[in-house]
Amino acid sequence: MATVIFYEKPGCINNTRQKKLLQAAGHQVDERNLLTHPWDVVSLTRFLSPESRDSWLNRTHPGLKSGDLELDLSQPDSVVAAMCRDPLLIRRPLMEIDGHCLQGFDAELLDQLIGLSVMPDGDIETCPRSQHASPCK
């Protein structure tokens, strides 16, 4: 059994489903509010894979979806700074497990790392509300 520090957007449907999968496997979930956590470049960068910058962002962020906000992933320092200022830009969840920092819910990786008793059916990362007129923010 592992303790998972789970940075979430409270009320997010997928984050709720993800936590239930972790708890069903016997893991302790320590919930943290991703939106109110005092992120800085150093603390946030621990969760971000430099090889996959395109996966850092919450693509359902209203500014990104509308095109009003553009971030240049070839400038990672400015992207991370923007994410610290507006944590809604951060793709969730962020998890810390025994010193391992992860972004997103990769069920196969989590199963290898700590074990899941049930694998999710279908996509557990894309917000089901993202196709509606008023998605989660």
PDB file of all heavy atoms in Angstrom, residues 5-9 15 30-34 37 39 47 92-96:
ATOM      1  N   ILE A   5       0.166  11.443  -2.740  1.00  0.00           N
ATOM      2  CA  ILE A   5      -0.199  12.854  -2.621  1.00  0.00           C
ATOM      3  C   ILE A   5      -0.793  13.219  -3.972  1.00  0.00           C
ATOM      4  O   ILE A   5      -0.118  13.114  -5.002  1.00  0.00           O
ATOM      5  CB  ILE A   5       1.008  13.731  -2.260  1.00  0.00           C
ATOM      6  CG1 ILE A   5       1.595  13.283  -0.916  1.00  0.00           C
ATOM      7  CG2 ILE A   5       0.597  15.202  -2.218  1.00  0.00           C
ATOM      8  CD1 ILE A   5       2.897  13.970  -0.547  1.00  0.00           C
ATOM      9  N   PHE A   6      -2.057  13.605  -3.965  1.00  0.00           N
ATOM     10  CA  PHE A   6      -2.855  13.737  -5.178  1.00  0.00           C
ATOM     11  C   PHE A   6      -3.324  15.181  -5.319  1.00  0.00           C
ATOM     12  O   PHE A   6      -4.209  15.631  -4.607  1.00  0.00           O
ATOM     13  CB  PHE A   6      -4.064  12.790  -5.066  1.00  0.00           C
ATOM     14  CG  PHE A   6      -4.837  12.592  -6.332  1.00  0.00           C
ATOM     15  CD1 PHE A   6      -4.553  11.533  -7.172  1.00  0.00           C
ATOM     16  CD2 PHE A   6      -5.876  13.441  -6.672  1.00  0.00           C
ATOM     17  CE1 PHE A   6      -5.284  11.317  -8.329  1.00  0.00           C
ATOM     18  CE2 PHE A   6      -6.615  13.242  -7.829  1.00  0.00           C
ATOM     19  CZ  PHE A   6      -6.312  12.180  -8.659  1.00  0.00           C
ATOM     20  N   TYR A   7      -2.691  15.915  -6.235  1.00  0.00           N
ATOM     21  CA  TYR A   7      -3.063  17.301  -6.497  1.00  0.00           C
ATOM     22  C   TYR A   7      -4.163  17.300  -7.551  1.00  0.00           C
ATOM     23  O   TYR A   7      -3.958  16.845  -8.668  1.00  0.00           O
ATOM     24  CB  TYR A   7      -1.863  18.095  -6.998  1.00  0.00           C
ATOM     25  CG  TYR A   7      -0.784  18.250  -5.955  1.00  0.00           C
ATOM     26  CD1 TYR A   7       0.265  17.343  -5.887  1.00  0.00           C
ATOM     27  CD2 TYR A   7      -0.814  19.295  -5.037  1.00  0.00           C
ATOM     28  CE1 TYR A   7       1.268  17.478  -4.929  1.00  0.00           C
ATOM     29  CE2 TYR A   7       0.184  19.435  -4.078  1.00  0.00           C
ATOM     30  CZ  TYR A   7       1.212  18.527  -4.033  1.00  0.00           C
ATOM     31  OH  TYR A   7       2.202  18.663  -3.083  1.00  0.00           O
ATOM     32  N   GLU A   8      -5.311  17.803  -7.174  1.00  0.00           N
ATOM     33  CA  GLU A   8      -6.506  17.742  -8.010  1.00  0.00           C
ATOM     34  C   GLU A   8      -7.197  19.099  -8.100  1.00  0.00           C
ATOM     35  O   GLU A   8      -6.920  19.999  -7.326  1.00  0.00           O
ATOM     36  CB  GLU A   8      -7.500  16.749  -7.409  1.00  0.00           C
ATOM     37  CG  GLU A   8      -8.040  17.243  -6.065  1.00  0.00           C
ATOM     38  CD  GLU A   8      -9.129  16.367  -5.487  1.00  0.00           C
ATOM     39  OE1 GLU A   8      -9.853  15.709  -6.261  1.00  0.00           O
ATOM     40  OE2 GLU A   8      -9.264  16.351  -4.259  1.00  0.00           O
ATOM     41  N   LYS A   9      -8.119  19.156  -9.039  1.00  0.00           N
ATOM     42  CA  LYS A   9      -9.066  20.265  -9.075  1.00  0.00           C
ATOM     43  C   LYS A   9     -10.315  19.739  -8.363  1.00  0.00           C
ATOM     44  O   LYS A   9     -10.967  18.820  -8.856  1.00  0.00           O
ATOM     45  CB  LYS A   9      -9.415  20.669 -10.500  1.00  0.00           C
ATOM     46  CG  LYS A   9     -10.459  21.762 -10.538  1.00  0.00           C
ATOM     47  CD  LYS A   9     -10.819  22.083 -11.973  1.00  0.00           C
ATOM     48  CE  LYS A   9     -12.061  22.944 -11.966  1.00  0.00           C
ATOM     49  NZ  LYS A   9     -13.230  22.240 -12.447  1.00  0.00           N
ATOM     50  N   ASN A  15     -10.815  13.351 -11.746  1.00  0.00           N
ATOM     51  CA  ASN A  15      -9.983  13.223 -10.553  1.00  0.00           C
ATOM     52  C   ASN A  15     -10.682  12.363  -9.510  1.00  0.00           C
ATOM     53  O   ASN A  15     -10.040  11.536  -8.848  1.00  0.00           O
ATOM     54  CB  ASN A  15      -9.635  14.586  -9.962  1.00  0.00           C
ATOM     55  CG  ASN A  15      -8.607  15.360 -10.759  1.00  0.00           C
ATOM     56  OD1 ASN A  15      -8.420  16.553 -10.529  1.00  0.00           O
ATOM     57  ND2 ASN A  15      -7.913  14.741 -11.696  1.00  0.00           N
ATOM     58  N   ASP A  30      -3.870  11.282  -0.291  1.00  0.00           N
ATOM     59  CA  ASP A  30      -3.777  12.545   0.437  1.00  0.00           C
ATOM     60  C   ASP A  30      -4.118  13.644  -0.565  1.00  0.00           C
ATOM     61  O   ASP A  30      -3.288  14.040  -1.384  1.00  0.00           O
ATOM     62  CB  ASP A  30      -2.362  12.709   0.986  1.00  0.00           C
ATOM     63  CG  ASP A  30      -2.147  14.001   1.759  1.00  0.00           C
ATOM     64  OD1 ASP A  30      -3.068  14.843   1.834  1.00  0.00           O
ATOM     65  OD2 ASP A  30      -1.024  14.175   2.272  1.00  0.00           O
ATOM     66  N   GLU A  31      -5.371  14.101  -0.523  1.00  0.00           N
ATOM     67  CA  GLU A  31      -5.874  15.067  -1.508  1.00  0.00           C
ATOM     68  C   GLU A  31      -5.335  16.468  -1.230  1.00  0.00           C
ATOM     69  O   GLU A  31      -5.348  16.931  -0.100  1.00  0.00           O
ATOM     70  CB  GLU A  31      -7.397  15.106  -1.470  1.00  0.00           C
ATOM     71  CG  GLU A  31      -8.040  13.778  -1.745  1.00  0.00           C
ATOM     72  CD  GLU A  31      -9.542  13.783  -1.482  1.00  0.00           C
ATOM     73  OE1 GLU A  31     -10.158  14.861  -1.438  1.00  0.00           O
ATOM     74  OE2 GLU A  31     -10.080  12.679  -1.310  1.00  0.00           O
ATOM     75  N   ARG A  32      -4.907  17.132  -2.309  1.00  0.00           N
ATOM     76  CA  ARG A  32      -4.442  18.523  -2.230  1.00  0.00           C
ATOM     77  C   ARG A  32      -5.108  19.301  -3.363  1.00  0.00           C
ATOM     78  O   ARG A  32      -5.327  18.772  -4.440  1.00  0.00           O
ATOM     79  CB  ARG A  32      -2.926  18.604  -2.398  1.00  0.00           C
ATOM     80  CG  ARG A  32      -2.109  17.687  -1.496  1.00  0.00           C
ATOM     81  CD  ARG A  32      -1.825  18.298  -0.145  1.00  0.00           C
ATOM     82  NE  ARG A  32      -1.164  17.371   0.750  1.00  0.00           N
ATOM     83  CZ  ARG A  32       0.155  17.316   0.962  1.00  0.00           C
ATOM     84  NH1 ARG A  32       0.974  18.126   0.304  1.00  0.00           N
ATOM     85  NH2 ARG A  32       0.660  16.437   1.803  1.00  0.00           N
ATOM     86  N   ASN A  33      -5.393  20.552  -3.106  1.00  0.00           N
ATOM     87  CA  ASN A  33      -6.020  21.409  -4.106  1.00  0.00           C
ATOM     88  C   ASN A  33      -4.939  21.966  -5.023  1.00  0.00           C
ATOM     89  O   ASN A  33      -4.124  22.794  -4.612  1.00  0.00           O
ATOM     90  CB  ASN A  33      -6.803  22.528  -3.433  1.00  0.00           C
ATOM     91  CG  ASN A  33      -7.622  23.351  -4.400  1.00  0.00           C
ATOM     92  OD1 ASN A  33      -7.261  23.523  -5.557  1.00  0.00           O
ATOM     93  ND2 ASN A  33      -8.729  23.877  -3.922  1.00  0.00           N
ATOM     94  N   LEU A  34      -4.923  21.509  -6.250  1.00  0.00           N
ATOM     95  CA  LEU A  34      -3.939  21.945  -7.234  1.00  0.00           C
ATOM     96  C   LEU A  34      -4.051  23.445  -7.512  1.00  0.00           C
ATOM     97  O   LEU A  34      -3.055  24.113  -7.769  1.00  0.00           O
ATOM     98  CB  LEU A  34      -4.138  21.158  -8.533  1.00  0.00           C
ATOM     99  CG  LEU A  34      -3.212  21.512  -9.673  1.00  0.00           C
ATOM    100  CD1 LEU A  34      -2.427  20.284 -10.087  1.00  0.00           C
ATOM    101  CD2 LEU A  34      -4.001  22.014 -10.857  1.00  0.00           C
ATOM    102  N   HIS A  37      -2.596  25.481  -4.307  1.00  0.00           N
ATOM    103  CA  HIS A  37      -1.241  25.156  -3.848  1.00  0.00           C
ATOM    104  C   HIS A  37      -0.284  26.260  -4.307  1.00  0.00           C
ATOM    105  O   HIS A  37      -0.403  26.747  -5.428  1.00  0.00           O
ATOM    106  CB  HIS A  37      -0.802  23.803  -4.406  1.00  0.00           C
ATOM    107  CG  HIS A  37       0.496  23.340  -3.861  1.00  0.00           C
ATOM    108  ND1 HIS A  37       0.616  22.748  -2.628  1.00  0.00           N
ATOM    109  CD2 HIS A  37       1.751  23.400  -4.378  1.00  0.00           C
ATOM    110  CE1 HIS A  37       1.884  22.451  -2.409  1.00  0.00           C
ATOM    111  NE2 HIS A  37       2.593  22.840  -3.453  1.00  0.00           N
ATOM    112  N   TRP A  39       2.407  27.030  -6.020  1.00  0.00           N
ATOM    113  CA  TRP A  39       3.398  26.518  -6.962  1.00  0.00           C
ATOM    114  C   TRP A  39       4.471  27.549  -7.249  1.00  0.00           C
ATOM    115  O   TRP A  39       4.207  28.738  -7.348  1.00  0.00           O
ATOM    116  CB  TRP A  39       2.733  26.115  -8.279  1.00  0.00           C
ATOM    117  CG  TRP A  39       1.768  24.993  -8.123  1.00  0.00           C
ATOM    118  CD1 TRP A  39       0.415  25.060  -8.207  1.00  0.00           C
ATOM    119  CD2 TRP A  39       2.076  23.636  -7.824  1.00  0.00           C
ATOM    120  NE1 TRP A  39      -0.143  23.834  -7.981  1.00  0.00           N
ATOM    121  CE2 TRP A  39       0.851  22.933  -7.743  1.00  0.00           C
ATOM    122  CE3 TRP A  39       3.259  22.939  -7.612  1.00  0.00           C
ATOM    123  CZ2 TRP A  39       0.789  21.570  -7.458  1.00  0.00           C
ATOM    124  CZ3 TRP A  39       3.199  21.578  -7.340  1.00  0.00           C
ATOM    125  CH2 TRP A  39       1.974  20.919  -7.272  1.00  0.00           C
ATOM    126  N   PHE A  47       7.290  17.670 -11.487  1.00  0.00           N
ATOM    127  CA  PHE A  47       6.236  16.817 -12.018  1.00  0.00           C
ATOM    128  C   PHE A  47       6.236  16.745 -13.548  1.00  0.00           C
ATOM    129  O   PHE A  47       5.536  15.911 -14.114  1.00  0.00           O
ATOM    130  CB  PHE A  47       4.860  17.329 -11.565  1.00  0.00           C
ATOM    131  CG  PHE A  47       4.641  17.217 -10.087  1.00  0.00           C
ATOM    132  CD1 PHE A  47       4.994  18.252  -9.235  1.00  0.00           C
ATOM    133  CD2 PHE A  47       4.080  16.074  -9.537  1.00  0.00           C
ATOM    134  CE1 PHE A  47       4.790  18.152  -7.868  1.00  0.00           C
ATOM    135  CE2 PHE A  47       3.870  15.955  -8.174  1.00  0.00           C
ATOM    136  CZ  PHE A  47       4.231  17.001  -7.334  1.00  0.00           C
ATOM    137  N   ARG A  92      -3.908  17.703 -15.053  1.00  0.00           N
ATOM    138  CA  ARG A  92      -4.023  17.006 -13.788  1.00  0.00           C
ATOM    139  C   ARG A  92      -4.332  15.530 -13.990  1.00  0.00           C
ATOM    140  O   ARG A  92      -4.748  15.148 -15.074  1.00  0.00           O
ATOM    141  CB  ARG A  92      -5.098  17.621 -12.899  1.00  0.00           C
ATOM    142  CG  ARG A  92      -6.037  18.547 -13.542  1.00  0.00           C
ATOM    143  CD  ARG A  92      -7.083  19.113 -12.612  1.00  0.00           C
ATOM    144  NE  ARG A  92      -8.354  19.098 -13.279  1.00  0.00           N
ATOM    145  CZ  ARG A  92      -8.786  20.060 -14.067  1.00  0.00           C
ATOM    146  NH1 ARG A  92      -8.054  21.116 -14.277  1.00  0.00           N
ATOM    147  NH2 ARG A  92      -9.940  19.963 -14.646  1.00  0.00           N
ATOM    148  N   PRO A  93      -4.136  14.790 -12.904  1.00  0.00           N
ATOM    149  CA  PRO A  93      -3.626  15.180 -11.594  1.00  0.00           C
ATOM    150  C   PRO A  93      -2.101  15.211 -11.588  1.00  0.00           C
ATOM    151  O   PRO A  93      -1.442  14.693 -12.498  1.00  0.00           O
ATOM    152  CB  PRO A  93      -4.118  14.048 -10.688  1.00  0.00           C
ATOM    153  CG  PRO A  93      -4.062  12.836 -11.558  1.00  0.00           C
ATOM    154  CD  PRO A  93      -4.468  13.336 -12.932  1.00  0.00           C
ATOM    155  N   LEU A  94      -1.575  15.824 -10.540  1.00  0.00           N
ATOM    156  CA  LEU A  94      -0.171  15.670 -10.207  1.00  0.00           C
ATOM    157  C   LEU A  94      -0.144  14.731  -9.011  1.00  0.00           C
ATOM    158  O   LEU A  94      -0.987  14.836  -8.120  1.00  0.00           O
ATOM    159  CB  LEU A  94       0.465  17.014  -9.840  1.00  0.00           C
ATOM    160  CG  LEU A  94       0.477  18.090 -10.922  1.00  0.00           C
ATOM    161  CD1 LEU A  94       1.168  19.343 -10.396  1.00  0.00           C
ATOM    162  CD2 LEU A  94       1.130  17.618 -12.205  1.00  0.00           C
ATOM    163  N   MET A  95       0.787  13.789  -9.019  1.00  0.00           N
ATOM    164  CA  MET A  95       0.875  12.833  -7.917  1.00  0.00           C
ATOM    165  C   MET A  95       2.324  12.667  -7.488  1.00  0.00           C
ATOM    166  O   MET A  95       3.227  12.654  -8.322  1.00  0.00           O
ATOM    167  CB  MET A  95       0.327  11.466  -8.348  1.00  0.00           C
ATOM    168  CG  MET A  95      -1.154  11.457  -8.626  1.00  0.00           C
ATOM    169  SD  MET A  95      -1.732   9.849  -9.209  1.00  0.00           S
ATOM    170  CE  MET A  95      -1.196   9.927 -10.936  1.00  0.00           C
ATOM    171  N   GLU A  96       2.492  12.540  -6.179  1.00  0.00           N
ATOM    172  CA  GLU A  96       3.799  12.216  -5.624  1.00  0.00           C
ATOM    173  C   GLU A  96       3.650  10.914  -4.854  1.00  0.00           C
ATOM    174  O   GLU A  96       2.807  10.812  -3.955  1.00  0.00           O
ATOM    175  CB  GLU A  96       4.306  13.328  -4.716  1.00  0.00           C
ATOM    176  CG  GLU A  96       5.715  13.090  -4.247  1.00  0.00           C
ATOM    177  CD  GLU A  96       6.323  14.281  -3.536  1.00  0.00           C
ATOM    178  OE1 GLU A  96       5.730  15.375  -3.551  1.00  0.00           O
ATOM    179  OE2 GLU A  96       7.401  14.096  -2.955  1.00  0.00           O
TER     180      GLU A  96
END
